[in-house]
Amino acid sequence: EALLAAPVELKARLSANENPFGPSSKARQAIDDSLNTCYQYPMQARDLVQQIAEYEGLKPEHILLDAGSSPLLLAAAMHFGQQGAIITGDPSYADLPRKAERFKAAIVAVPLTKDYKLDLDAMEKKVDSHTALVYICNPNNPTGTVLDSAKLKAFTKRISEKTPVFIDEAYIDYLPDPRSATLIEAVKQGQNVIVARTFSKVYGFAGLRVGYIVAQPEMIQTLSRYAQGAMSISAPAIRAAVASYQDQEFMKNVVAKTQFSKQYLYDVLKREGYEYIPSAANFVMFPLKMDGKRFVEEMGKRGVSIRNWEFGGKQWCRVSIGRMEEMEAFAAAFLQVS
Amino acid sequence: EALLAAPVELKARLSANENPFGPSSKARQAIDDSLNTCYQYPMQARDLVQQIAEYEGLKPEHILLDAGSSPLLLAAAMHFGQQGAIITGDPSYADLPRKAERFKAAIVAVPLTKDYKLDLDAMEKKVDSHTALVYICNPNNPTGTVLDSAKLKAFTKRISEKTPVFIDEAYIDYLPDPRSATLIEAVKQGQNVIVARTFSKVYGFAGLRVGYIVAQPEMIQTLSRYAQGAMSISAPAIRAAVASYQDQEFMKNVVAKTQFSKQYLYDVLKREGYEYIPSAANFVMFPLKMDGKRFVEEMGKRGVSIRNWEFGGKQWCRVSIGRMEEMEAFAAAFLQVS
């Protein structure tokens, strides 16, 4: 038999922008409480819809739940992908455009500005009669940059009169004031805007799969055709989401701990003579001084998983923000590899 | 403020063919064990795929997991619904045909035989150049009847040379020998057959959402475009499925307890002078002597949820098989209402 090398122990999982501080103890308790009835189909989704609707000042028919926001991105990809071109940033979260390409969509990828933000002016110029959807990830993944709120709102108001705008707000809960930054207000004003939210980040639910979109009721109806909806969410996850939604104390705590770890990472990078893109989210992108693929491999050998990108003629690394012991493991490996 | 009537206490939930004996203690333990890592995206799906592949003698590329079989029925509805007509039984499980209609599919609903089985001969005669898919639910829902295995295998072999055959085996684990009845063998032989399975029934996972299809790798690729796949399944549910899959002892126990409750139901119906369709699954259909809607309402007032159907010019009730105390609650209410 072949002698196999012992697998590397993973010390820091910093590749998927997960939140290692969650889910809250209330969510865990709710999962535990749900075990006796989890032989039943998940019927409690309406409680969660009701809670979100009340918190946001929406009607339940504005909301579509599913097992994370990903199946809803797929629904949008299927619907709009068959209708024309999708305008997105470059680089930006590629999930929706990539899925839309399966349905023959043309993708118009607009380079970021010099400060690594989505270039709204350039994106607006690309809107024409072939545009089926404009996709905005805010804060943007993988750069961690956030758009000026007033500028985004004005952009969305103008554009949504011509073509639907999809705002992916997966990381918005890491902002100091998510409620002033969200585009849910635009939906309430009747604009043709679809806002995607997820419990996978601040709520710590990446493994529990709960997300939703908010849009005009007719758009919700249209996209519902392509999605299984709330019946895809496990009953324990629905109960956990109900239990942790609006737990402001827990969320503040997650954001504060993330901020602490992020500042530590900034300091490590500065000390080693690296620049970075200041991040509004739970991940940081910085330019490498070596090949990205090799960097990922070398870090992986040291038990640290991260991701690399290439854009603007440079090699980049994206590090998710973990617990302090994970950031220290990153720092130790980075000192060896950088 | 208005005085509201106290809500009726639900004594027996017998409307959704759930399995109130599950999930197994091993599955519950696995969920508990998963809580510390459920902030991570669900990456363990490959363990479950591997387990299913080994048990069935398939390759992983023959298998597509999702959050229950429903999102996979939707994927098939989207794909085949755009291509032509779908042949199904009448009555049979309407989920796939109903979803396909959203995508403009014509539905060819073929009445059951006199003994309430899918009429394979009549279905075969309906296959023509417009047929996109033949949908077979075996055992059939809502009648609980099972097809002769040799006849179904011969049918599938012939038909699948002309058009794909989708076999929904949601209830197959209630048969005495599921492995001799499943059409997974046809997939192994290279036939153009799609077999859908779920953990929602014997495994007691209706609220946990785990299901899969088995088909030729090219068909899996095709249908993958329309489905989020394993990433929709919560990490606790994946671990629970891994823990309970192949727990033959647990499954035998569930089937035996279901059989015991079912025999009790048969006896109640006989004693009250009712006929019923002998059932191979965890539900029983019987003809009513009153309006179905009124029957459901009257039973509901007594804390028993069941479902009604109308077909063949008759009013019918479908009762899911529950725990003995639920069957006794059914019997007590039935004596009052029938």
Side-chain angles (χ1 to χ4, degrees), chain B residues 25-335:
Chain B
S25 54
K26 286 180 190 172
R28 289 160 189 243
Q29 185 60 49
I31 291 173
D32 207 50
D33 293 346
S34 74
L35 288 184
N36 282 332
T37 53
C38 70
Y39 70 84
Q40 297 176 353
Y41 284 98
M43 300 299 188
Q44 308 82 9
R46 80 193 80 177
D47 298 343
L48 181 56
V49 169
Q50 194 55 47
Q51 227 183 32
I52 295 167
E54 276 169 30
Y55 185 77
E56 301 287 1
L58 297 163
K59 291 181 189 154
E61 52 265 40
H62 285 115
I63 300 166
L64 179 60
L65 289 176
D66 210 314
S69 54
S70 299
L72 300 165
L73 294 173
L74 172 59
M78 283 193 259
H79 180 69
F80 297 110
Q82 297 174 67
Q83 298 192 344
I86 294 180
I87 299 176
T88 184
D90 181 22
S92 188
Y93 189 52
D95 191 49
L96 190 157
R98 219 163 31 206
K99 287 168 174 169
E101 277 185 313
R102 301 182 199 164
F103 298 89
K104 316 272 182 229
I107 306 302
V108 180
V110 179
L112 304 187
T113 61
K114 286 207 168 123
D115 51 353
Y116 307 108
K117 298 193 179 193
L118 291 173
D119 192 337
L120 294 182
D121 297 332
M123 291 174 94
E124 185 160 4
K125 284 188 192 125
K126 294 288 185 187
V127 175
D128 63 22
S129 61
H130 301 108
T131 307
L133 187 74
V134 177
Y135 174 78
I136 300 281
C137 182
N138 185 52
N140 189 43
N141 179 11
T143 54
T145 49
V146 65
L147 291 163
D148 175 80
S149 206
K151 182 161 184 179
L152 175 60
K153 283 172 186 173
F155 167 89
T156 301
K157 190 160 191 231
R158 281 195 309 276
I159 303 296
S160 66
E161 284 170 15
K162 294 180 236 168
T163 186
V165 180
F166 193 109
I167 316 263
D168 189 340
E169 297 186 347
Y171 299 98
I172 202 160
D173 296 312
Y174 286 101
L175 297 183
D177 185 3
R179 299 200 74 161
S180 76
T182 180
L183 266 288
I184 287 180
E185 194 60 35
V187 175
K188 282 198 262 181
Q189 288 165 8
Q191 295 174 32
N192 194 9
V193 173
I194 304 154
V195 178
R197 303 289 284 264
T198 180
F199 281 72
S200 293
K201 306 302 174 184
V202 162
Y203 291 95
F205 273 50
L208 294 173
R209 316 308 306 132
V210 184
Y212 59 96
I213 54 172
V214 169
Q216 301 309 324
E218 310 75 49
M219 180 61 80
I220 294 292
Q221 287 289 329
T222 298
L223 294 178
S224 292
R225 298 167 65 223
Y226 303 88
Q228 183 63 16
M231 286 296 286
S232 283
I233 312 175
S234 78
I238 292 172
R239 284 177 192 266
V242 168
S244 64
Y245 191 72
Q246 292 191 344
D247 185 347
Q248 295 291 335
E249 208 50 49
F250 171 76
M251 285 175 58
K252 273 186 201 157
N253 202 283
V254 165
V255 173
K257 284 190 284 194
T258 303
Q259 191 54 43
F260 190 86
S261 287
K262 188 158 65 177
Q263 188 57 52
Y264 173 86
L265 175 65
Y266 287 164
D267 294 344
V268 169
L269 292 172
K270 261 185 257 177
R271 210 180 312 132
E272 294 302 305
Y274 279 75
E275 293 179 38
Y276 57 82
I277 305 175
S279 165
N282 66 332
F283 51 87
V284 174
M285 193 164 232
F286 65 94
L288 290 168
K289 300 173 183 176
M290 67 188 283
D291 178 66
K293 215 174 144 191
R294 219 190 101 222
F295 181 76
V296 167
E297 275 170 19
E298 290 297 324
M299 292 294 281
K301 283 183 197 163
R302 289 160 180 82
V304 178
S305 70
I306 38 101
R307 279 191 60 184
N308 69 299
W309 258 266
E310 193 181 318
F311 71 90
K314 280 190 200 172
Q315 300 282 324
W316 298 79
C317 170
R318 190 196 69 184
V319 194
S320 307
I321 303 302
R323 293 179 292 246
M324 271 307 290
E325 68 264 29
E326 292 178 294
M327 303 321 290
E328 284 160 5
F330 171 87
F334 186 59
L335 295 199

Side-chain angles (χ1 to χ4, degrees), chain A residues 13 16 18-20 22-23 28 31-32 35-36 38-43 67 70-71 74 78 82 99 102-103 200-201 204-209 224-228 231-236 323 326, chain B residues 13 16 18-20 22-23 28 31-32 35-36 38-43 67 70-71 74 78 82 99 102-103 200-201 204-209 224-228 231-236 323 326:
Chain A
R13 181 177 157 112
E18 295 153 343
N19 161 23
R28 288 159 189 243
I31 291 172
D32 206 51
L35 287 184
N36 282 332
C38 72
Y39 69 84
Q40 297 176 353
Y41 284 98
M43 299 300 188
S70 299
L74 173 60
M78 282 194 259
Q82 297 175 67
K99 287 169 175 169
R102 302 181 199 164
F103 298 91
S200 293
K201 306 301 173 182
F205 272 51
L208 294 174
R209 316 308 306 133
S224 292
R225 297 167 65 223
Y226 303 88
Q228 183 63 15
M231 286 297 286
S232 284
I233 312 175
S234 78
R323 293 178 291 246
E326 292 177 295
Chain B
R13 181 177 156 114
E18 294 153 344
N19 161 22
R28 289 160 189 243
I31 291 173
D32 207 50
L35 288 184
N36 282 332
C38 70
Y39 70 84
Q40 297 176 353
Y41 284 98
M43 300 299 188
S70 299
L74 172 59
M78 283 193 259
Q82 297 174 67
K99 287 168 174 169
R102 301 182 199 164
F103 298 89
S200 293
K201 306 302 174 184
F205 273 50
L208 294 173
R209 316 308 306 132
S224 292
R225 298 167 65 223
Y226 303 88
Q228 183 63 16
M231 286 296 286
S232 283
I233 312 175
S234 78
R323 293 179 292 246
E326 292 178 294

Side-chain angles (χ1 to χ4, degrees), chain A residues 145-256:
Chain A
T145 49
V146 65
L147 291 162
D148 175 80
S149 205
K151 182 164 185 178
L152 175 60
K153 284 173 186 173
F155 168 90
T156 301
K157 190 160 190 230
R158 281 196 309 277
I159 303 297
S160 66
E161 283 170 14
K162 293 180 237 168
T163 186
V165 180
F166 193 110
I167 316 265
D168 189 339
E169 297 186 345
Y171 300 99
I172 202 160
D173 296 312
Y174 287 101
L175 297 183
D177 185 4
R179 299 199 73 162
S180 76
T182 179
L183 267 287
I184 286 180
E185 194 59 36
V187 175
K188 281 197 261 181
Q189 289 164 7
Q191 295 175 32
N192 194 7
V193 173
I194 303 153
V195 178
R197 303 289 285 265
T198 180
F199 281 73
S200 293
K201 306 301 173 182
V202 162
Y203 290 94
F205 272 51
L208 294 174
R209 316 308 306 133
V210 184
Y212 59 96
I213 54 171
V214 169
Q216 302 309 324
E218 309 75 48
M219 180 62 80
I220 294 291
Q221 286 288 328
T222 298
L223 295 178
S224 292
R225 297 167 65 223
Y226 303 88
Q228 183 63 15
M231 286 297 286
S232 284
I233 312 175
S234 78
I238 292 173
R239 286 178 192 266
V242 168
S244 64
Y245 191 73
Q246 293 192 342
D247 186 347
Q248 294 292 334
E249 208 50 48
F250 171 76
M251 285 175 60
K252 273 186 202 159
N253 202 281
V254 165
V255 174

